[in-house]
Amino acid sequence: LDDVVMTSEVTHPAKDFESLKEGPPEGVFVYGLYLDGCAWSSRENRLVDSEPKKLFNPLPVLFVTGVLAKDKKRAGVYEAPCYRVKARKGLNFITTFALASADGSAKWVLRGAALLCTID
């Protein structure tokens, strides 16, 4: 059990919560998250720059499961921090989710890219 770590991937083709009829055989579907500082391209299935003046973008359904640490994909992903609210401090941090990216993690860190549970 100590060797198991959490991994995630956005459903492809991108799914809305309403289109899901049942849960996955292993893991969970997470929905209702928003991207801050970036957007998700369903066509390219990866993070992309957000449109000008658009602060928050919805993230399609995310599939989260566990894998052995040695099998976790590390190349081509950005470990996006997830927060409960827009205020990114202290107890608002939840965890990180791996999101596919053609760009290095440094780009998304400098842009402050993160996932938010609510944008109110």
Side-chain angles (χ1 to χ4, degrees):
L1 198 56
D2 291 338
D3 295 336
V4 177
V5 294
M6 184 176 70
T7 188
S8 60
E9 61 185 50
V10 175
T11 54
H12 188 69
K15 297 180 182 177
D16 292 326
F17 170 69
E18 292 82 22
S19 67
L20 297 174
K21 303 291 183 220
E22 58 186 44
E26 181 179 296
V28 295
F29 287 129
V30 177
Y31 65 94
L33 297 176
Y34 296 90
L35 289 162
D36 182 10
C38 59
W40 185 260
S41 170
S42 296
R43 186 172 49 83
E44 299 174 35
N45 198 37
R46 65 181 178 93
L47 285 177
V48 293
D49 295 327
S50 58
E51 296 175 17
K53 299 188 181 186
K54 188 165 183 184
L55 297 177
F56 307 108
N57 296 287
L59 181 72
V61 174
L62 191 65
F63 172 65
V64 181
T65 189
V67 296
L68 292 175
K70 64 182 173 87
D71 297 335
K72 185 171 181 177
K73 182 179 173 186
R74 302 206 189 280
V77 296
Y78 167 59
E79 291 287 337
C82 182
Y83 298 92
R84 289 186 317 114
V85 293
K86 290 188 281 188
R88 301 181 187 189
K89 57 183 179 181
L91 298 176
N92 292 333
F93 175 76
I94 299 171
T95 189
T96 60
F97 290 109
L99 300 176
S101 171
D103 302 308
S105 293
K107 173 182 179 175
W108 304 115
V109 170
L110 290 173
R111 290 176 185 244
L115 291 165
L116 303 174
C117 293
T118 182
I119 53 175
D120 294 336

